[in-house]
Amino acid sequence: MSIAEIFETMEYGPAPESASPAVRWLEERGRTFRHFIGGEWREPSGGEFFDTDNPATNKPLARIAQGTREDVDAAVRAAREALPAWQALDGHGRARYLYALARHIQRHARLFAVLETMDNGKPIRESRDIDIPLVARHFYHHAGWAQLMETELPGHVGVGVIGQIIPWNFPLLMLAWKIAPALAMGNTVVLKPAEFTSLTALLFAEVCRDAGLPPGVVNVVTGDGRTGAAIVEHPDVDKIAFTGSTDVGRIIRVATAGSGKKLSLELGGKSPFIVFDDADLDSVVEGVVDAIWFNQGQVCCAGSRILAQEGIVDKLVARLRERMETLRVGDPLDKAVDIGAIVAPVQLEKITQLVNQGREEGATLWQPSWSCPQEGCFFPPTLFTDVAPSSTVAQVEIFGPVVVLMTFRTPSEAVALANNTPYGLAASVWTESLNLALDVAPKVLAGTVWVNSTNLFDAAAGFGGYRESGFGREGGKEGLWEYVKPRWEVEGKNGGAVRGRDDRKTKPAKADKARGNGAGPSLPPIDRTAKLYIGGKQARPDSGYAMPVYGAGDRLVGDVGLGNRKDVRNAVEAAHKARGWSRGTAHTRAQVIYYLAENLAARADEFTRRIAQLTGDEAGAEREVEASIRRLYTYGAWADKYDGQVHATPLRNVTIAMNEPIGVVSVACPDAAPLLGFVSAVIPAVAMGNAVVAVPSERWPLVATDFYQVLDTSDVPGGVINIVTGKRDELAETLASHDDVDALWYFGGAEGSTMVERLSAGNMKRTWVSYGRERDWFDGEQGEGREFLRQATHVKNIWVPYGE
């Protein structure tokens, strides 16, 4: 073929990448791989191995050890033994090791890239030019955070031994996303790679040894789901970091409930790709190629739902079909190939079944005229049109090179369609109007939004989901918080002890106790049962029952309503109606919180008397009211100062990390310090723009029912703060199960913490529980600050390219 013909047709011959270095590496190791534990290669205790195949040929590459509970136990023990010395090493020392890992990865970049492509099936161009450079970037970036940890995360220490379970779609990149921040913050790791794609993790284990990483700091145990379950259930693992399906994420949430393990989950997605009628369609078409046919569509944040404004649909479909005809599917080691192999026959079968189901449900399928290779696991790029928003292919994560196209008329309709899934991982917005893009991006329920771009990632920008796409972030400073905890929790400072089960129970009613204030046999006091506070109004409990409240000396000082499931439903509905609070300015929220402080100060004597009546400690009551006023001032200050960031991603774009409210946050408040505990737990969520359903102190709820009179006089919109009194664990159970509650904070016993974590798996709501550990609410380190603000927000990264 002449150069002129090539220029006209863009037809090129094959450009194969040599597999010989990877083949040699496999052969030198006998194509058999064991576990990497304590800096050594160890035989699997069960003697079991399984094959890992090349998906482009369906031929075996190597034999991989199947991990058992005994293998996991050995790896966790090695990590635990290595932990003290690794944590004792200063940040600079850990930075040096992370830097060395980055350099070694770069030194072996070609080997890593070829091995990844052979094991996973992704095109060599992607593994060579995207995955491996990002892997090195993560280790470099987190070397810097290790260096800065002492000054930028003061008062925090590493969590401990981290169990990490990664998927098969980005085997080495997911490893870097998890191991780099964990090591930087002073943790040790037990990593389980996906059973389909373990080879680059095992090569990385060799790199750890060659770089001189202390034995036990990184351990790699291979195997299937049984191995992952053993890591999740191991009692000496302090945190689980998982990337994978939402279904497995639910299982892990339930399995870890009550264990005290930290948990971060990056789960499934069905990301919208929103195209407005002023978008540059040439850029849009290439964006679709990157969004859904990158890595064969096996990307959790793949732009698998195109939402196109009606006026440009026909043009867009025509251009997409034309572009799809030019895509190349074939040998992943060919540098001219666009789409490689599906990871395994089981995944190929799943994709095929879902595509057939979409066609059966009435969607119109279009695929290019050419055929895929018959050998190996290949599937052609696929476009569905005439798709109903409720259809299977529009709702279910296919995890393959399949995209559906739907239409909208207005921006508000686009947002409604975009949010019409249980997921919330990522989205992209295509328009030439920056004003429109920045109006739509915050309304889309997703952890990352790209503007006129897609599938951009960097170590400086956090990534993670909303709703059933999981919680926690990976990358950026926000990702570091997943691997640290407050130092006081470790040292047991002033209240770090774990509370017993029974010391918070309400005292039983006593028939011989007279109501009132003990003023003598004159007139009896006016009987008053404090009501619930829902939607800005006092509300009688649905049950019609009241709960006695005892003060100092077991004196009966009043009753409160006994809230139930229907009261919780009403409170959650009222909170959803108050969503305008999140759309208001941070300045307005600050002013309202300052106003609360002002009005509480005006009634300080009244609240002091009430707390003293309940606790019998007049000096302590006065101190608590003063501390509550100060805390309100603290969150009035933070309301408009808890800023996002502009990340320094090494691309020509502005990456805006926005702190966004979670939505409806339910808070089961502590018994200790009934006013200060209520203010400390509820107001940070409100300051960040959330609406709250609060269950006040079960022992002394009257302080909270007094406080709603302060709310009434402080311009707090109805529904922003709702108060449901009653049995804390009964109400928390309802809130944890409620699918319209977005997060639940629980400051109670260990048993209740377990229940909250287990039941939250229904809609994968974020949870923050105390496991029975008491906080000192008067202490600034434990009772206020950035920890509360982080728990009250999502971080959304919006990527905005610039320049002509």
Side-chain angles (χ1 to χ4, degrees):
M1 182 179 292
S2 69
I3 294 176
E5 289 173 324
I6 292 174
F7 184 79
E8 290 295 328
T9 63
M10 298 303 289
E11 289 287 340
Y12 290 89
E17 173 77 30
S18 173
S20 58
V23 171
R24 185 167 56 251
W25 183 81
L26 291 169
E27 294 291 350
E28 288 172 352
R29 287 146 187 83
R31 291 186 181 260
T32 301
F33 292 88
R34 298 158 182 81
H35 305 305
F36 184 73
I37 298 174
E40 300 176 348
W41 297 102
R42 298 195 191 180
E43 293 285 344
S45 63
E48 182 181 351
F49 291 82
F50 59 90
D51 286 343
T52 184
D53 297 338
N54 182 337
T57 63
N58 284 338
K59 295 178 180 178
L61 285 171
R63 297 172 68 241
I64 306 294
Q66 170 61 46
T68 64
R69 291 188 178 274
E70 289 76 14
D71 297 323
V72 169
D73 189 60
V76 172
R77 188 163 55 250
R80 181 64 62 188
E81 290 172 357
L83 183 64
W86 184 248
Q87 289 191 329
L89 187 66
D90 65 5
H92 177 68
R94 294 197 300 274
R96 292 277 287 269
Y97 278 113
L98 285 162
Y99 182 84
L101 290 173
R103 295 292 290 159
H104 276 71
I105 289 164
Q106 288 181 318
R107 191 173 302 139
H108 301 291
R110 206 69 167 196
L111 174 58
F112 271 115
V114 174
L115 194 62
E116 191 83 315
T117 288
M118 292 172 63
D119 202 21
N120 169 272
K122 64 174 61 189
I124 186 65
R125 285 187 301 152
E126 294 177 9
S127 55
R128 180 195 65 198
D129 299 339
I130 298 173
D131 290 23
I132 307 306
L134 266 177
V135 169
R137 160 78 172 150
H138 271 268
F139 281 99
Y140 280 128
H141 181 78
H142 287 94
W145 279 121
Q147 183 80 24
L148 298 174
M149 180 182 178
E150 185 175 344
T151 57
E152 294 303 305
L153 288 88
H156 287 79
V157 295
V159 172
V161 174
I162 312 296
Q164 301 180 325
I165 303 170
I166 59 175
W168 44 257
N169 57 339
F170 290 93
L172 190 63
L173 184 56
M174 291 295 99
L175 176 152
W177 280 25
K178 287 179 167 56
I179 287 184
L183 298 191
M185 297 296 100
N187 303 279
T188 54
V189 167
V190 176
L191 177 97
K192 190 200 89 68
E195 60 180 303
F196 292 149
T197 54
S198 299
L199 292 178
T200 48
L202 295 165
L203 174 56
F204 177 80
E206 288 191 359
V207 163
C208 290
R209 185 190 58 193
D210 294 345
L213 196 69
V217 172
V218 170
N219 306 273
V220 179
V221 181
T222 54
D224 57 18
R226 294 170 290 172
T227 312
I231 293 173
V232 169
E233 295 164 6
H234 199 288
D236 209 23
V237 170
D238 300 302
K239 172 188 165 62
I240 297 295
F242 172 78
T243 296
S245 72
T246 297
D247 289 342
V248 176
R250 284 195 180 93
I251 293 170
I252 293 174
R253 170 69 287 179
V254 171
T256 59
S259 65
K261 292 182 173 75
K262 288 193 74 170
L263 179 64
S264 56
L265 300 172
E266 196 256 283
L267 306 176
K270 194 72 177 176
S271 299
F273 187 100
I274 307 170
V275 185
F276 289 96
D277 56 13
D278 66 339
D280 177 357
L281 288 189
D282 290 333
S283 298
V284 167
V285 169
E286 293 308 309
V288 172
V289 172
D290 289 339
I292 189 60
W293 295 310
F294 170 61
N295 201 30
Q296 298 76 254
Q298 299 171 139
V299 184
C300 51
C301 55
S304 55
R305 292 187 299 140
I306 302 173
L307 310 179
Q309 204 156 15
E310 287 184 351
I312 48 94
V313 171
D314 292 341
K315 288 182 180 179
L316 178 57
V317 169
R319 294 194 190 190
L320 278 174
R321 290 177 176 177
E322 181 181 359
R323 182 68 175 91
M324 290 167 70
E325 284 285 1
T326 69
L327 294 172
R328 293 187 175 199
V329 176
D331 180 5
L333 284 174
D334 186 342
K335 293 186 281 290
V337 158
D338 300 298
I339 301 176
I342 303 301
V343 73
V346 65
Q347 182 63 19
L348 180 62
E349 182 181 355
K350 175 189 172 186
I351 295 168
T352 303
Q353 288 176 348
L354 287 169
V355 167
N356 290 338
Q357 186 172 350
R359 191 159 38 190
E360 291 167 3
E361 292 179 358
T364 300
L365 177 144
W366 195 91
Q367 293 174 333
S369 58
W370 42 260
S371 61
C372 289
Q374 297 304 302
E375 183 185 33
C377 299
F378 294 94
F379 197 89
T382 301
L383 170 66
F384 273 116
T385 54
D386 304 316
V387 178
S390 60
S391 68
T392 300
V393 289
Q395 290 291 323
V396 173
E397 185 180 33
I398 298 173
F399 226 62
V402 182
V403 66
V404 303
L405 187 145
M406 295 174 281
T407 63
F408 66 88
R409 294 181 181 179
T410 65
S412 59
E413 187 179 349
V415 171
L417 280 171
N419 293 335
N420 184 37
T421 76
Y423 299 111
L425 191 55
S428 55
V429 179
W430 295 79
T431 174
E432 291 299 289
S433 170
L434 186 58
N435 184 53
L436 177 60
L438 293 182
D439 179 54
V440 169
K443 296 175 182 176
V444 177
L445 299 176
T448 297
V449 179
W450 297 290
V451 175
N452 293 333
S453 55
T454 189
N455 278 339
L456 299 176
F457 309 100
D458 187 67
F463 183 84
Y466 291 6
R467 304 193 291 178
E468 293 189 24
S469 289
F471 46 78
R473 292 294 181 265
E474 295 184 298
K477 188 174 183 179
E478 56 263 42
L480 301 179
W481 299 111
E482 304 299 331
Y483 292 99
V484 296
K485 60 185 176 182
R487 188 183 300 276
W488 65 265
E489 285 190 11
V490 180
E491 297 175 348
K493 173 187 173 185
N494 295 335
V498 177
R499 171 173 56 212
R501 290 179 54 186
D502 301 323
D503 64 346
R504 60 178 177 79
K505 292 183 178 178
T506 305
K507 292 190 177 294
K510 297 182 180 180
D512 59 345
K513 291 288 182 180
R515 296 179 184 271
N517 55 15
S522 54
L523 293 176
I526 297 174
D527 183 80
R528 173 179 178 265
T529 297
K531 301 177 181 63
L532 314 182
Y533 188 73
I534 297 174
K537 299 177 181 178
Q538 297 184 43
R540 296 184 183 279
D542 172 70
S543 67
Y545 291 101
M547 185 174 74
V549 179
Y550 294 92
D554 289 344
R555 177 184 299 163
L556 183 66
V557 295
D559 299 280
V560 294
L562 188 61
N564 65 10
R565 181 177 296 271
K566 185 175 180 181
D567 299 313
V568 168
R569 182 200 69 186
N570 294 339
V572 172
E573 288 180 356
H576 276 282
K577 290 177 182 177
R579 287 291 183 92
W581 178 248
S582 68
R583 293 191 293 270
T585 67
H587 174 74
T588 299
R589 294 198 296 272
Q591 298 310 301
V592 169
I593 295 171
Y594 283 132
Y595 200 11
L596 282 171
E598 178 183 330
N599 286 327
L600 178 60
R603 301 176 64 173
D605 291 345
E606 174 189 339
F607 275 88
T608 298
R609 287 194 299 272
R610 169 66 93 182
I611 294 171
Q613 181 187 28
L614 293 168
T615 65
D617 181 359
E618 189 168 346
E622 184 175 355
R623 177 174 173 242
E624 182 174 347
V625 173
E626 176 60 28
S628 300
I629 295 168
R630 288 177 175 270
R631 194 133 297 162
L632 286 165
Y633 262 82
T634 294
Y635 288 116
W638 272 118
D640 60 356
K641 296 179 185 66
Y642 189 58
D643 296 329
Q645 292 181 313
V646 175
H647 290 313
T649 51
L651 300 166
R652 192 177 62 175
N653 73 98
V654 176
T655 306
I656 307 168
M658 296 175 59
N659 293 320
E660 292 192 331
I662 294 172
V664 174
V665 177
S666 51
V667 180
C669 299
D671 278 334
L675 176 62
L676 181 60
F678 179 88
V679 167
S680 300
V682 169
I683 299 303
V686 171
M688 294 298 99
N690 300 284
V692 172
V693 177
V695 179
S697 162
E698 180 179 332
R699 185 178 182 187
W700 292 316
L702 287 172
V703 178
T705 58
D706 289 349
F707 189 76
Y708 63 56
Q709 298 171 37
V710 177
L711 300 177
D712 283 338
T713 58
S714 302
D715 295 340
V716 178
V720 171
I721 298 177
N722 305 275
I723 301 173
V724 181
T725 55
K727 302 292 186 181
R728 177 172 51 214
D729 283 3
E730 291 178 8
L731 295 172
E733 181 178 5
T734 299
L735 289 162
S737 304
H738 202 302
D739 283 347
D740 276 345
V741 173
D742 301 302
L744 174 53
W745 301 357
Y746 177 87
F747 300 101
E751 191 173 331
S753 298
T754 301
M755 175 265 296
V756 164
E757 289 188 329
R758 184 179 68 252
L759 295 179
S760 71
N763 71 337
M764 296 310 301
K765 62 172 62 66
R766 282 176 58 172
T767 58
W768 186 28
V769 301
S770 62
Y771 301 114
R773 182 185 294 111
E774 291 278 13
R775 287 176 181 262
D776 180 354
W777 293 99
F778 290 89
D779 181 73
E781 183 181 2
Q782 299 181 35
E784 68 178 25
R786 287 180 177 269
E787 180 182 17
F788 290 81
L789 302 177
R790 285 195 303 275
Q791 294 291 346
T793 53
H794 290 300
V795 178
K796 172 179 289 181
N797 282 273
I798 301 177
W799 296 64
V800 185
Y802 61 81
E804 294 296 329

